[in-house]
């Protein structure tokens, strides 16, 4: 039970950080933008979907991140990332019309709306990756 709460807290905090960074233009999304952010050392960390069907895509992102010493935070489903960055379509807040996946995003910097507690939580998490 505590493990489920821990996972939920992690995803909730990550979602808030990703969404606020997206609205401030501090998020790279998709393979091209993520690779650019990694190579230019702008990325603080990368979020990668485990259910990505392209193995070469995942290998490329992981290898680049490892080469430039950038942590990779893995989430189970790309549909979650798609919802977080707004590419999934919704009829209402709960009824989804079209689910679109996003396989990776890179956080360039924390938005000013992110609290110190959230920032510290994420930084502690990525140190352990």
């Amino acid at each position: 039970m505590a493990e489920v709460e821990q996972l939920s807290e992690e995803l909730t905090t990550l979602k808030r950080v990703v969404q606020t960074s997206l609205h401030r233009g501090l998020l790279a999304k998709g393979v091209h933008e993520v690779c650019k952010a990694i190579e230019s050392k702008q990325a603080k960390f990368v979020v990668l979907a485990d259910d990505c069907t392209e193995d070469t895509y995942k290998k490329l992102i992981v290898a680049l991140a490892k080469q430039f010493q950038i942590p990779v935070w893995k989430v189970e489903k790309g549909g979650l990332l798609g919802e977080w960055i707004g590419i999934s379509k919704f009829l209402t807040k709960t009824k989804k019309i079209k689910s679109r996946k996003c396989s990776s995003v890179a956080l360039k910097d924390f938005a000013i709306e992110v609290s110190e507690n959230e920032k510290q939580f994420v930084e502690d998490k990525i140190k352990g990756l």
Side-chain angles (χ1 to χ4, degrees):
M1 184 76 172
E3 188 176 310
V4 173
E5 287 179 18
Q6 176 73 18
L7 183 64
S8 175
E9 182 184 350
E10 284 181 12
L11 288 180
T12 303
T13 304
L14 180 61
K15 176 183 177 180
R16 176 159 162 62
V17 168
V18 166
Q19 286 180 332
T20 54
S21 296
L22 172 71
H23 295 299
R24 290 287 180 186
L26 302 170
L27 193 73
K29 49 199 179 296
V31 68
H32 181 71
E33 287 183 28
V34 170
C35 288
K36 242 170 89 173
I38 292 171
E39 289 174 339
S40 65
K41 297 182 181 179
Q42 290 180 330
K44 289 201 178 289
F45 67 93
V46 174
V47 182
L48 180 66
D50 262 346
D51 69 344
C52 178
T53 56
E54 290 291 326
D55 286 334
T56 54
Y57 183 104
K58 290 197 305 191
K59 287 178 184 175
L60 172 68
I61 298 296
V62 170
L64 268 178
K66 186 176 182 180
Q67 179 182 353
F68 290 96
Q69 299 170 347
I70 295 172
V72 177
W73 186 331
K74 293 189 178 182
V75 294
E76 283 186 33
K77 299 183 185 223
L80 279 176
L81 285 177
E83 287 177 23
W84 294 352
I85 66 169
I87 60 174
S88 292
K89 305 277 189 233
F90 287 88
L91 185 60
T92 63
K93 282 191 172 191
T94 57
K95 186 171 181 176
K96 193 183 307 182
I97 296 174
K98 186 175 185 180
S99 180
R100 293 188 63 200
K101 294 181 181 181
C102 176
S103 294
S104 65
V105 296
L107 186 92
K108 295 179 185 176
D109 203 0
F110 291 98
I112 57 173
E113 293 87 1
V114 175
S115 72
E116 282 300 316
N117 291 339
E118 291 170 327
K119 187 176 179 179
Q120 189 62 46
F121 181 83
V122 170
E123 287 175 345
D124 290 344
K125 174 69 177 174
I126 60 176
K127 283 179 187 175
L129 296 177

